[in-house]
Amino acid sequence: MAKYQEIAAVLAKQIVEGDYRLSGKLPTEKELMDQFQTSRNTIRSAIGLLADQGYTYQVRGSGIYIKEINFDNSVNLNLVKGLTSEFREQVNQSKLLELSTVEATEELAKLFAISEGLPLYYVKRIRYLDQEPIRVEMTYYRQDIVPYLGKEIVEQSIYDYLTENLGLQIGFADRQISADYLTEEHAGYLNLQAKDPSLRIREKTYLTNGQLFAVATGVLHFEKITLFASGKVYQ
Amino acid sequence: MAKYQEIAAVLAKQIVEGDYRLSGKLPTEKELMDQFQTSRNTIRSAIGLLADQGYTYQVRGSGIYIKEINFDNSVNLNLVKGLTSEFREQVNQSKLLELSTVEATEELAKLFAISEGLPLYYVKRIRYLDQEPIRVEMTYYRQDIVPYLGKEIVEQSIYDYLTENLGLQIGFADRQISADYLTEEHAGYLNLQAKDPSLRIREKTYLTNGQLFAVATGVLHFEKITLFASGKVYQ
DNA sequence: TAGTGGTCTAGACCACACG
DNA sequence: GTGTGGTCTAGACCACTAA
């Protein structure tokens, strides 16, 4: 991990643990330079990461302020990480509904920019938070990038498996969010009624080299999960 | 505007106009340095802005790639700008439902970090896209920061008025997204049925100095609007 | 006025992609 | 191997906040 990423991780941990709750501010850039024995630009890169993640904002002439945001039961759309790490303590189960190999249809082949007929994994799971179903999730993975998926893996954190065991470098994800009626099938999984509202996320996940390797659709329990996003003004 | 912001604006315009469609890539950082006669870090700041806005991603050893994303009928959660500029040509109307001055209740006072009883503007509007209602929007503004709002303003772009006429420096917005049933009232505005799904955005908008000056709730037509968000992996 | 963050420069070395 | 972007340094000047 780069130095600025390590610094950001240290500061993020301190923020979460409430080390700066009294002042509501981080030390100044100058003080952080001394503390971490590094250049100003490196400190600024670290602070930039914190801002991107929704932890802080800076005010010229004044300092680095901590945002008081409650991320409970909320998925941060500015980040890419598994649900498991987003709700670290509480999400400990996935119920596997389907794990199969399918050939890329014309639509999927076009989406992934691969040839029609190439093999994809298809995974359908229910995710739980505090023993309650919160999300139905259907994902396709390119098999040339993810050569193996098994029941023992998809019932845990697929994200951890991809990054730690396969060494994949996940870079970014683009997401489209919408609301819709629940289908009878999904309502059953989520203990809701058909025609109830649902929050849908259509997600494309890319490696750092720009390769699209997973396409997912998530159907979320509208009463138990919200999304969070931080936006900036440009120009 | 800073040099890197101007460079980003030029490149964004070129991307939107399709100047790089053949290669799908921008020139290399080195070439951009020559082209804009500036240092590498300034170029990298500009490219960073484009990435934040969802236009591009970089691959080490390879280049700067353009994302092919269709933002049609989609609100980009990574940005803060008025609906009017998000859908520049098509959104040309707002129907004013209410414009009043209210005293901050205990809840609102706490949210804005102001004293109870201080005056706020309350604006309730319906926004249209291609003559169809797409969003009901209820917003509170701090009157000490927005000293005047009138019918002639709220039927146009409030965002433009705040930035251009009042000179407010809007910095960032935090948003919470959820799905819910439509109330009878909102269903009426959106030409939908009560109990249909709706996409809700609860938004807090801040000045660059960190002051919260507007709190809004948006109720979106679930069939006509989706949201877009780009997320990155950290560490 | 002193201190803070915002921008910019001109270098350096490294890790990775691609031919 | 060559070229690309990723990280890092050590400065400089400027714009803004706060006292």
Side-chain angles (χ1 to χ4, degrees):
Chain A
M1 207 188 295
K3 196 192 286 191
Y4 77 94
Q5 291 173 324
E6 284 178 6
I7 295 171
V10 168
L11 294 174
K13 187 157 178 285
Q14 292 175 340
I15 290 171
V16 170
E17 289 172 350
D19 292 9
Y20 302 108
R21 199 155 289 160
L22 264 181
S23 62
K25 295 170 71 172
L26 287 188
T28 65
E29 294 185 350
K30 176 94 184 51
E31 287 166 347
L32 291 171
M33 285 167 67
D34 293 343
Q35 185 178 328
F36 291 101
Q37 282 299 304
T38 188
S39 72
R40 187 166 166 222
N41 281 345
T42 300
I43 291 298
R44 285 183 60 77
S45 293
I47 301 301
L49 274 195
L50 295 179
D52 284 350
Q53 295 174 78
Y55 286 118
T56 59
Y57 63 91
Q58 288 184 277
V59 178
R60 186 190 323 208
S62 186
I64 307 166
Y65 292 85
I66 295 169
K67 288 193 196 177
E68 287 170 17
I69 290 172
N70 187 354
F71 290 105
D72 284 359
N73 293 359
S74 189
V75 174
N76 188 338
L77 296 173
N78 297 105
L79 308 184
V80 177
K81 48 182 183 178
L83 264 196
T84 313
S85 79
E86 195 108 33
F87 302 121
R88 196 159 288 283
E89 284 89 27
Q90 307 104 311
V91 172
N92 31 30
Q93 309 171 56
S94 298
K95 184 170 168 187
L96 178 61
L97 298 173
E98 185 176 345
L99 167 57
S100 56
T101 297
V102 299
E103 292 182 356
T105 59
E106 186 183 345
E107 189 192 347
L108 284 168
K110 198 175 166 193
L111 193 62
F112 277 108
I114 58 175
S115 304
E116 223 173 302
L118 283 184
L120 301 170
Y121 275 115
Y122 176 70
V123 180
K124 186 167 172 180
R125 303 190 289 177
I126 306 175
R127 313 298 304 271
Y128 295 82
L129 178 66
D130 295 329
Q131 275 75 54
E132 300 279 347
I134 54 162
R135 169 169 166 153
V136 183
E137 163 185 300
M138 292 141 286
T139 315
Y140 292 94
Y141 296 92
R142 277 179 62 164
Q143 258 184 34
D144 54 342
I145 296 178
V146 183
Y148 175 74
L149 271 185
K151 189 168 186 299
E152 71 285 4
I153 292 161
V154 298
E155 290 190 336
Q156 306 296 322
S157 167
I158 296 181
Y159 183 90
D160 287 351
Y161 168 72
L162 297 177
T163 53
E164 289 163 24
N165 297 68
L166 295 186
L168 292 184
Q169 304 247 16
I170 299 176
F172 57 94
D174 289 338
R175 302 180 172 112
Q176 197 173 18
I177 295 99
S178 58
D180 207 343
Y181 298 105
L182 269 180
T183 63
E184 194 126 2
E185 183 201 359
H186 295 154
Y189 297 144
L190 297 173
N191 297 336
L192 288 169
Q193 304 297 317
K195 303 254 175 136
D196 273 348
S198 69
L199 197 54
R200 279 165 193 272
I201 304 183
R202 188 116 159 108
E203 178 176 84
K204 298 184 193 177
T205 311
Y206 297 81
L207 301 179
T208 53
N209 68 7
Q211 274 190 307
L212 174 61
F213 80 100
V215 175
T217 302
V219 179
L220 280 64
H221 193 301
F222 77 106
E223 291 170 321
K224 293 185 178 151
I225 292 284
T226 61
L227 311 176
F228 170 83
S230 185
K232 275 185 286 187
V233 172
Y234 296 101
Q235 283 111 44
Chain B
M1 204 189 297
K3 195 191 287 189
Y4 76 94
Q5 291 172 325
E6 284 178 6
I7 295 171
V10 168
L11 294 174
K13 186 157 178 286
Q14 292 174 341
I15 290 171
V16 169
E17 288 173 351
D19 292 8
Y20 302 109
R21 198 156 289 159
L22 264 181
S23 61
K25 295 169 72 172
L26 287 187
T28 65
E29 293 185 351
K30 177 93 182 50
E31 287 164 348
L32 291 171
M33 286 167 68
D34 293 343
Q35 185 179 327
F36 290 100
Q37 281 299 304
T38 189
S39 72
R40 186 165 168 221
N41 280 346
T42 299
I43 291 297
R44 284 183 62 76
S45 293
I47 301 300
L49 275 194
L50 295 178
D52 284 350
Q53 295 175 79
Y55 287 117
T56 59
Y57 63 91
Q58 288 183 278
V59 178
R60 184 188 327 208
S62 185
I64 306 166
Y65 292 85
I66 295 170
K67 287 192 194 179
E68 288 171 19
I69 290 173
N70 188 353
F71 289 105
D72 284 0
N73 293 0
S74 189
V75 174
N76 189 339
L77 296 172
N78 297 105
L79 308 185
V80 177
K81 47 182 182 179
L83 264 196
T84 313
S85 80
E86 194 109 34
F87 301 122
R88 197 159 287 282
E89 284 90 26
Q90 308 104 311
V91 173
N92 31 29
Q93 309 172 56
S94 298
K95 182 171 169 188
L96 178 60
L97 299 173
E98 184 177 345
L99 168 58
S100 56
T101 298
V102 299
E103 292 183 354
T105 60
E106 185 183 345
E107 190 192 348
L108 283 168
K110 198 174 165 193
L111 193 61
F112 278 108
I114 58 175
S115 304
E116 223 173 303
L118 284 184
L120 301 170
Y121 275 116
Y122 176 70
V123 180
K124 186 168 172 179
R125 303 192 290 176
I126 305 175
R127 313 299 305 272
Y128 294 83
L129 178 66
D130 295 329
Q131 276 74 50
E132 300 278 349
I134 55 163
R135 168 168 166 154
V136 184
E137 161 185 301
M138 292 141 286
T139 314
Y140 292 94
Y141 296 93
R142 277 180 61 166
Q143 260 185 31
D144 54 343
I145 296 179
V146 182
Y148 175 74
L149 271 184
K151 189 168 187 297
E152 70 285 4
I153 293 161
V154 299
E155 289 190 336
Q156 307 295 323
S157 168
I158 297 181
Y159 183 90
D160 287 352
Y161 167 71
L162 297 176
T163 53
E164 288 162 26
N165 297 69
L166 294 186
L168 292 184
Q169 304 247 15
I170 299 177
F172 56 93
D174 289 338
R175 301 179 172 114
Q176 197 172 19
I177 294 101
S178 57
D180 207 342
Y181 299 104
L182 269 180
T183 62
E184 195 127 0
E185 183 202 359
H186 295 154
Y189 297 143
L190 297 173
N191 296 336
L192 288 169
Q193 305 297 318
K195 303 256 176 131
D196 273 347
S198 70
L199 198 53
R200 279 163 192 271
I201 303 184
R202 189 115 159 110
E203 178 175 83
K204 298 184 193 176
T205 310
Y206 297 82
L207 301 179
T208 52
N209 69 7
Q211 274 190 309
L212 174 60
F213 79 100
V215 175
T217 301
V219 178
L220 281 64
H221 192 299
F222 76 105
E223 291 169 320
K224 293 185 179 152
I225 292 285
T226 61
L227 311 176
F228 170 83
S230 184
K232 274 185 288 188
V233 172
Y234 296 101
Q235 284 108 42

